[in-house]
């Protein structure tokens, strides 16, 4: 017992002694260090959050919180602290026995040392040699767009962003420096080093920066994927020694932008009977007194006030060795058309950890799930566009039957009831997306770093759609219940390894080098199946509920891979002369052994003239000249293009009993000699900073030429093949000028900035497969075909048709000029181009281009004390729109008409632009012609936001460190001469024309229009 007591006391004694020793060591270590704290503000006393505070010559550092407060322990009293913040001049202060150091940073409006992302790395903005545009997180969040692609609209010169549809969840069309190919012209999106297929899955509130790489000297590092430009997106990370909880929310309402006026019952019935009289037919007796007719408001039958609600909760922070960012986002949007919606949930976790001083690991992981519901918008016929057809149903027909069911239009018999489409023609779709990467970085020696990054994107789409039988009319019905199923998976994995080296020799020679290796695997599979004749009364119908003999199914499996080697060298001499060279070798499984690998080099030079000793222009404090050249590639072809393929969908009847057996038939001839499509870009640029960078100016001139285009070559029908082969042929050139100008100024409590950008781009097809070759695209369900025509010497996808030159005013004009059979005074007159005395297809010509002469954006930001306001305008000029909706609205008398048609021809000299009211002459007057080509130019106030930031004094008594409330409006007004629903038209997503879908530009078939929205929002930090 005594022994146990002694042992216990010895253990206790040793424990106390050890604890005392640890405490002594701790106090000794603490005594050797110096604790410093303080507040960092701007020159006007406003606290600055996120300022980097670093002990000079070490990796010991922290950042200020949202009140500008920091705390740090430094090695000794002689240490220097460096305070740096983007947009402000860096300051150094020696500790020198101070325990409280407050610093006021002075603003540098030019932000020349901002870090800019380039491929597989980053550089200071002042060291950029290529053409790169940046969009900050602050600019993104002020737009309240639901996707990053839409948010950069008008923010970067040379980057065209147009809505493909106002349908919630739709993907906008993005083009960087024009349309450079007849194939897929979408840019490459890179999120945290991972290429992504669907940018709509990325939550905009998670984005920290967006960089747009435009010229080949910047994009060549991505080789075969960089021909259409590259959009680099980095997501947010936490700050050292600061934990922040942030909550953002907004809610709003959306309404249709109504630019289209149609006739009431009296107006329409009057013209209907006028057309009957003009054709020598008996007028409609029911319209004898048009003023007594009841008008039915079809155009609003399927429209409603839409709503949008967004929530974003995030937690970020870190310690000396760690950082983290966790976010949860929820977006819920109810469309302005009944039964259209989009819901999205996002969850993201980003973190880094320093295992050892030389080794860091990290990951960025996002899970996204979205569900959307769309209504019918299929085919090229405006009659099938739910968002549009309410405008063209005759206004004398009741919308509903007496039992409340959708009614058949009485006179517009070809047109479906839009209410019926919203009820019976819905398409639900669920998408799940995983996007993530893990990486490790190691400092092998001073200046030498190794990084390995593995990324994965998985997109799954799922549709389970039960559609019940219904009958509205012979033109609009479903005779049997039907169940459709879709399952698809798109998987992209990429593994990149890079070795980078940075050094400075004799303080003037800065060298940065990068070597890399990358593999990429792309896998896709899908199954689509359906069955009909599903019995009534089944509570949860499935594919197995339908009749076996009604089965239809289809499926695809494809896989491809890329193997790449790349390198980059940056050289900077004395901040005066800059050089960047990149070289990439790509190998693709889509090409044969003889052309599998391709090389993509680039060179760029820059001269900081303002750093020369002879330079003495005080007013221009930055003067940089840039020049670059490079090549990029495109491999967007089917995986099987090099192989001759067979179709297994050919059934044959064999034997006396005519047994059905599966047969094979030639599908497409292969081309083993296919090689890479190549885009070569030359760029000359100028960057100026004036008035101490309060005024900045950037200009670029570029020539971008795509050669060896991957084209489908026409073949004879007698060849036996169903599809044409892919060949290398054709050349397209885009050349243009880009300008951006920004001015910022602070006057005591008032700060404002105004900026603008503009881009002029000229597009020309230099050649196609053979001399005289054409690519015809763009069709509508009313007989128009080949609306767009691509051929050498013209802009891509130019409109093609007859040239309308007025209205025949009398019979003499008809008798003495080329005319169509049956023409009468008041009919459209077309130009006889070949002067053969008749009007036919040989008189067709180019009647306009959908490509604008220039695009532009204007941005205004102002702050006064706690108030802030931003306004953003965006516009295009000089583009044409083929308004296919005018086929119905401008003369088809059994559908409703645009009120402009009230100014129709009624006698000689009354008008020379709007034809007479006629049924019989409608076919002649509605020929595919310049009559339906309109000016698509517009200027739109895209966004206005007014906010109030609660003062620190108000928040000091709460646990809230920052709070801002704001009101916002989008698409508040549009200045345009276009007569359709919406002049903003991207690629029509409803047109499935294979590789030619990207050429379906500027054709308005009656799409889901853009919306005008008003919202109220709140941002809070805890």
């Amino acid at each position: 017992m005594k022994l146990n007591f002694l042992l216990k006391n010895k253990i206790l004694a040793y424990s106390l002694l050890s604890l005392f020793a640890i405490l002594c060591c701790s106090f000794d270590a603490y005594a050797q260090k110096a604790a410093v704290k303080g507040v960092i503000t701007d020159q006007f006393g406003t606290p600055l959050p996120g300022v980097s505070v670093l002990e000079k010559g070490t990796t010991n550092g922290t950042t200020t919180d949202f009140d500008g407060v920091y705390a740090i322990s430094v090695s000794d009293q002689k240490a220097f602290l460096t305070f740096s913040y983007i947009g402000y001049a860096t300051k150094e202060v020696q500790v020198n026995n101070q325990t409280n150091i407050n610093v006021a940073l002075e603003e540098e409006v030019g932000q020349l040392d901002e870090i800019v992302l380039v491929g597989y790395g980053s550089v200071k903005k002042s060291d950029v040699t290529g053409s790169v545009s940046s969009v900050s997180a602050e600019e993104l969040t002020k737009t309240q767009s639901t996707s990053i692609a839409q948010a950069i609209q008008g923010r970067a010169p040379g980057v065209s962003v147009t809505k493909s549809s106002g349908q919630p969840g739709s993907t906008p069309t993005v083009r960087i420096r024009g349309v450079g190919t007849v194939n897929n012209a979408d840019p490459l999106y890179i999120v945290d080093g991972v290429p992504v297929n669907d940018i709509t899955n990325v939550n905009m509130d998670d984005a920290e920066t967006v960089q747009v790489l435009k010229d080949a000297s910047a994009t060549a590092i991505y080789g075969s994927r960089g021909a259409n430009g590259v959009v680099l997106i980095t997501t947010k990370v936490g700050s050292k020694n600061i934990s922040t909880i942030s909550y953002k929310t907004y809610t709003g309402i959306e309404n249709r932008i109504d630019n289209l006026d149609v006739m009431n019952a009296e107006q329409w019935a009057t013209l209907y009977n006028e057309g009957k009289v003009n054709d020598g037919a008996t007028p409609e007796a029911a319209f004898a007194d048009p003023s007594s007719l009841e008008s039915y408001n079809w155009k609003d039958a399927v429209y409603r006030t839409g709503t949008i609600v967004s929530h974003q909760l995030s937690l970020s922070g870190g310690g000396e060795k760690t950082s983290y960012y966790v976010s949860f986002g929820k977006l819920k949007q109810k469309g302005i058309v009944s039964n259209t919606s989009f819901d999205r949930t996002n969850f993201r976790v980003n973190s880094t950890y320093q295992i050892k001083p030389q080794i860091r690991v990290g990951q960025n992981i996002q899970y996204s799930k979205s569900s959307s519901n769309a209504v019918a918008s299929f085919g090229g016929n405006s009659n099938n566009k739910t968002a549009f057809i309410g405008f063209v149903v005759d206004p004398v027909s009741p919308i509903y039957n007496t039992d409340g069911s959708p009614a058949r239009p009485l006179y517009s018999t070809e047109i479906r009831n839009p209410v019926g489409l919203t009820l019976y023609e819905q398409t639900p779709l669920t998408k799940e997306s995983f996007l993530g990467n893990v990486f490790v970085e190691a400092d092998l020696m001073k200046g030498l770093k190794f990084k390995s990054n593995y990324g994965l994107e998985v997109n799954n789409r799922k549709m389970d759609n039960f559609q019940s039988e219904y009958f509205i009319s012979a033109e609009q019905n479903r005779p049997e219940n039907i169940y459709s199923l879709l399952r698809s998976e798109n998987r992209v994995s990429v593994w990149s390894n890079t070795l980078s080296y940075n050094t400075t020799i004799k303080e003037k020679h800065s060298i940065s080098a990068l070597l890399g290796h990358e593999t990429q695997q792309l896998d896709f599979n899908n199954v689509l199946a359906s069955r009909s004749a599903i019995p009534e009364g089944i509570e949860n119908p499935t594919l197995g509920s339908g009749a076996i003999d009604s089965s239809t199914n289809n499926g695809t499996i494809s896989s491809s891979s890329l193997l790449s080697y790349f390198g980059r060298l940056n050289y900077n001499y004395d901040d005066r002369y800059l050089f960047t060279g990149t070289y990439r070798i790509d190998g693709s499984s889509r090409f044969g052994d003889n052309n599998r690998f391709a090389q993509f080099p680039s060179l760029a030079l820059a001269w900081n003239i303002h750093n020369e000793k002879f330079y003495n222009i005080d007013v221009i404090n930055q003067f940089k000249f840039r020049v670059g050249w490079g090549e990029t590639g495109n491999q967007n072809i089917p995986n099987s293009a090099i192989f001759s393929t067979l179709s297994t969908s050919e059934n044959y009847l064999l034997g006396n009993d005519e047994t059905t057996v599966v047969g094979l038939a030639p599908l497409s001839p292969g081309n083993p000699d296919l090689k890479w499509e190549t885009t070569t870009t030359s760029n000359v640029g100028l960057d100026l900073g004036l008035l101490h960078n309060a005024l900045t100016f950037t200009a670029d001139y570029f020539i971008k030429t795509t050669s060896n285009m991957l084209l489908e070559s026409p073949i004879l029908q007698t060849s036996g093949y169903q599809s044409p082969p892919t060949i290398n042929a054709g050349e397209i050139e885009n050349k243009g000028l880009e300008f951006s100008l920004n001015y910022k100024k602070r006057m005591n409590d008032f700060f404002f900035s105004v900026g603008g950008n503009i881009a002029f781009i000229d597009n020309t097809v230099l050649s196609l497969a053979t001399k005289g070759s054409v690519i015809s695209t763009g069709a509508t369900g009313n007989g128009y075909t080949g609306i767009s025509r691509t051929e050498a010497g013209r802009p891509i996808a130019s409109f093609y048709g007859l040239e309308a030159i007025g209205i025949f005013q009398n019979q003499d004009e008809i008798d003495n000029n080329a005319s169509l059979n049956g023409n009468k005074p008041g009919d459209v007159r077309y130009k006889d181009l070949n002067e053969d005395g008749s009007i036919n297809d040989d008189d067709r010509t180019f009647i306009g281009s959908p490509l604008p002469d220039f695009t532009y954006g204007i941005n205004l930001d102002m702050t006064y004390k706690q108030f802030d306001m931003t306004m953003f305008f965006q516009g295009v000029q000089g583009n044409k729109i083929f308004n296919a909706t005018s086929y119905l609205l401008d003369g088809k008398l059994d559908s409703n008409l645009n009120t402009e048609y009230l100014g129709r021809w009624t006698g000689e000299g009354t008008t020379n632009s709007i034809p007479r009211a006629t049924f019989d002459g409608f076919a002649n007057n509605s020929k595919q012609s310049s009559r339906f080509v309109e000016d698509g130019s517009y200027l739109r106030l895209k966004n206005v936001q007014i906010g109030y930031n609660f003062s620190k004094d108000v928040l000091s008594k709460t646990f809230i460190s920052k709070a801002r409330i704001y009101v916002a409006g989008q698409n508040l007004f549009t200045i345009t001469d276009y007569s359709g629903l919406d002049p903003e038209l991207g690629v029509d997503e409803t047109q499935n024309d294979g590789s030619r879908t990207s050429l379906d530009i500027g054709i308005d078939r009656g799409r889901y229009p853009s919306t005008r929205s008003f919202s109220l929002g709140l941002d809070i930090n805890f």
Side-chain angles (χ1 to χ4, degrees), residues 346-570:
N346 290 84
F347 179 70
R348 172 172 286 278
V349 178
N350 295 349
S351 67
T352 61
Y353 179 69
Q354 184 175 320
I355 300 175
K356 292 184 177 182
Q358 300 84 14
I359 301 176
R360 297 164 297 281
V361 296
Q363 51 79 30
N364 305 283
I365 294 175
Q366 174 193 281
Y367 170 78
S368 172
K369 183 176 182 179
S370 66
S371 60
S372 62
N373 200 62
V375 294
S377 185
F378 42 79
N381 199 327
S382 301
N383 297 354
N384 300 326
K385 308 292 185 180
T386 305
F388 169 73
I389 58 178
F391 288 89
V392 292
V393 179
D394 65 80
V396 301
S397 294
I399 302 171
Y400 300 96
N401 296 313
T402 55
D403 62 359
S405 61
R408 176 182 184 267
L410 299 176
Y411 296 92
S412 307
T413 55
E414 296 179 2
I415 301 174
R416 291 171 169 84
N417 185 315
V419 175
L421 293 180
T422 64
L423 292 175
Y424 304 118
E425 301 291 348
Q426 301 179 40
T427 303
L429 181 66
T430 298
K431 296 194 293 185
E432 285 187 282
S433 169
F434 172 86
L435 173 64
N437 69 296
V438 292
F439 65 87
V440 58
E441 284 184 331
D443 298 326
L444 304 181
M445 55 180 286
K446 183 179 180 181
L448 183 63
K449 180 189 296 184
F450 169 77
K451 181 175 182 179
S452 183
N453 183 76
Y454 177 79
L456 177 67
E457 182 196 26
V458 181
N459 288 311
N460 291 317
R461 301 201 314 160
K462 173 183 176 182
M463 180 191 70
D464 292 282
N465 192 17
F466 173 75
Q467 295 176 304
S468 62
E469 64 177 68
Y470 73 95
F471 183 87
I472 296 176
S473 66
E475 297 81 19
Q476 186 177 5
N477 66 84
R478 184 180 297 111
E480 295 179 311
N481 296 335
I482 186 171
Y483 180 88
S484 302
L485 175 147
L486 169 69
R487 299 288 186 272
S488 73
E489 180 182 87
N490 198 330
R491 179 186 294 262
V492 179
S493 61
V494 59
W495 184 27
S496 59
N497 297 281
T498 58
L499 195 65
S500 59
Y501 180 70
N502 295 277
T503 188
T504 300
I505 302 173
K506 295 184 179 180
E507 298 184 353
K508 289 190 175 183
H509 304 272
S510 296
I511 300 173
S512 173
L514 174 80
L515 290 176
H517 165 265
E518 186 173 79
T519 61
Q520 182 175 336
Q521 180 72 28
L522 300 92
D523 299 291
F524 174 77
N525 69 80
N526 79 315
V527 174
L528 178 63
S530 68
R531 282 189 184 182
S532 58
I534 298 173
E536 294 290 339
I538 297 179
E539 186 173 345
N540 295 302
T542 64
L543 198 63
S545 305
I548 295 176
D549 59 1
S550 69
S551 299
T552 63
N553 54 76
N554 192 10
T556 303
I557 295 179
S558 65
S559 180
S560 64
S561 57
L562 274 172
L563 174 65
S564 307
Y565 304 92
F566 53 89
R568 178 174 57 225
L569 176 65
N570 291 329

Side-chain angles (χ1 to χ4, degrees), residues 283-327:
E284 180 68 33
F287 301 160
D289 182 10
S291 63
S292 65
L293 297 173
E294 180 180 357
S295 289
Y296 293 91
N297 187 13
W298 281 85
K299 75 173 186 176
D300 292 333
V302 298
Y303 281 96
R304 64 186 179 184
T305 297
T307 60
I308 184 169
V309 179
S310 173
H311 300 280
Q312 171 85 356
L313 181 65
S314 64
L315 173 65
S316 64
E320 292 297 324
K321 296 183 178 180
T322 62
S323 69
Y324 61 88
Y325 172 83
V326 181
S327 72

Side-chain angles (χ1 to χ4, degrees), residues 823-872:
N823 270 153
K824 293 182 178 181
D827 287 342
V828 177
R829 179 179 175 181
Y830 302 104
K831 188 172 184 178
D832 181 16
L833 284 180
N834 61 2
E835 299 181 347
D836 65 353
S838 62
I839 301 297
N840 51 43
D841 285 350
D842 294 336
D843 295 306
R844 291 180 300 169
T845 186
F846 288 92
I847 52 178
S849 169
L851 305 181
D853 296 330
F854 60 89
T855 60
Y856 58 97
I858 304 170
N859 191 69
L860 175 66
D861 285 291
M862 293 181 288
T863 62
Y864 178 71
K865 294 185 177 180
Q866 276 78 50
F867 292 94
D868 62 80
M869 185 184 77
T870 182
M871 298 178 68
F872 174 60

Side-chain angles (χ1 to χ4, degrees), residues 684-740:
V684 178
L686 180 68
D687 300 326
L688 298 178
L690 298 84
L691 307 175
H692 301 289
N693 293 319
L695 179 64
T696 58
F697 172 77
T698 298
D700 282 275
Y701 173 74
F702 67 90
I703 299 176
K704 173 182 169 183
T705 305
T706 301
S707 57
N708 288 320
M709 261 194 313
L710 295 163
L711 295 172
E712 290 182 349
S713 177
I715 55 175
L716 297 174
Q717 293 183 349
T718 55
S719 68
Y721 287 102
Q722 301 175 33
S723 301
T726 302
I727 64 171
N728 288 105
E731 197 170 356
I732 294 178
E733 180 185 76
N734 288 276
K735 56 184 178 181
L737 283 166
E738 300 169 351
F739 302 98
S740 65

Side-chain angles (χ1 to χ4, degrees), residues 262-276:
V262 293
M263 296 183 184
N264 58 32
E266 179 182 358
Q267 294 169 328
W268 177 81
T270 300
L271 265 71
Y272 186 94
N273 271 350
E274 182 180 312
K276 291 287 188 181

Side-chain angles (χ1 to χ4, degrees), residues 130-205:
S131 182
V132 180
S133 294
S134 302
V135 183
S136 68
E138 183 180 7
E139 290 177 289
L140 292 174
T141 54
K142 286 181 178 179
T143 66
Q144 286 193 311
S145 300
T146 56
S147 73
I148 292 176
Q150 189 65 49
I152 64 175
Q153 184 182 42
R155 302 278 176 177
V159 181
S160 170
V161 181
T162 51
K163 276 193 172 183
S164 56
S165 169
Q167 165 77 34
S170 62
T171 303
T173 301
V174 180
R175 297 291 180 260
I176 298 177
R177 289 188 164 179
V179 183
T181 178
V182 298
N183 300 297
N184 188 334
D186 294 337
L188 171 67
Y189 295 97
I190 303 287
V191 180
D192 295 326
V194 182
V196 300
N197 287 312
D198 191 349
I199 194 62
T200 61
N201 293 327
V202 180
N203 189 348
M204 194 174 67
D205 285 322

